[in-house]
Amino acid sequence: MTKYIIDTNVWIAASGKALCSVECEEACLELLSSLREFGAVLILDQASFGTDPPGNSVLQELNNNLHEGDYAFELFWKELFHQGKYELIQLQYNDAGAVLPGAMEIYQIEDDGSRYPFEPSDRKWIALHVLDPDHPSIYNATDSDWEKARNDLVRYNIKVRQLCSGRDIP
């Protein structure tokens, strides 16, 4: 059983709905189609299944971005989700998004050296990675925030597979 944490942008790119290269879209399609072959288990947040899930919980975000008829919609909802190929991790959310575990702080660094906190809607992926005992990699396609936070991600040993840039972290 191989565990996966897959940023929403990978599902979007695989469905041809992202502004990305053909090579990027193909890399995302290859990853998602491999989920069928390797006994994949998706790591999701327990909050997605609550009566009032946060707007940026995993399922809320996927529901807002995947549309019936799209490749990723069919794979996620009709195969992986329907067949129960997921595990749940309890995350805490506040108004800004998922709360990072412990005293963890992750900042994005711009070209001019300015720093600002990691994007709230992506903190859930980091929290899932840290809290899952197997620490599965996070898969990203088109979001540049991961690269901007490289130093902190390396410091905390957070593994991000960059499907479109080929520059994995760490």
Side-chain angles (χ1 to χ4, degrees), residues 105-107 115 150-158:
E105 294 181 295
I106 297 182
Y107 292 94
R115 292 170 37 110
R150 176 178 280 277
N151 291 341
D152 286 338
L153 296 170
V154 168
R155 179 172 56 138
Y156 290 114
N157 198 30
I158 297 167

Side-chain angles (χ1 to χ4, degrees), residues 8-114:
T8 306
N9 66 65
V10 173
W11 299 95
I12 295 168
S15 292
K17 306 291 183 176
L19 294 175
C20 63
S21 68
V22 171
E23 293 81 14
C24 176
E25 185 177 323
E26 288 173 355
C28 294
L29 279 168
E30 184 177 320
L31 170 72
L32 295 185
S33 58
S34 74
L35 298 179
R36 290 183 172 122
E37 299 170 26
F38 297 120
V41 172
L42 299 175
I43 304 301
L44 306 175
D45 58 334
Q46 178 71 41
S48 288
F49 294 83
T51 55
D52 188 23
N56 60 3
S57 66
V58 175
L59 289 185
Q60 288 296 100
E61 194 171 292
L62 288 171
N63 197 39
N64 291 338
N65 288 283
L66 301 182
H67 306 287
E68 194 157 359
D70 291 346
Y71 171 79
F73 179 94
E74 303 299 320
L75 176 62
F76 180 81
W77 291 111
K78 294 188 177 178
E79 287 189 43
L80 300 170
F81 187 79
H82 180 72
Q83 294 173 12
K85 294 184 177 182
Y86 58 86
E87 289 182 12
L88 301 176
I89 302 285
Q90 183 67 45
L91 301 184
Q92 299 299 315
Y93 281 86
N94 62 25
D95 292 341
V99 176
L100 294 176
M104 181 179 283
E105 294 181 295
I106 297 182
Y107 292 94
Q108 298 175 64
I109 301 175
E110 290 296 326
D111 292 338
D112 65 3
S114 61

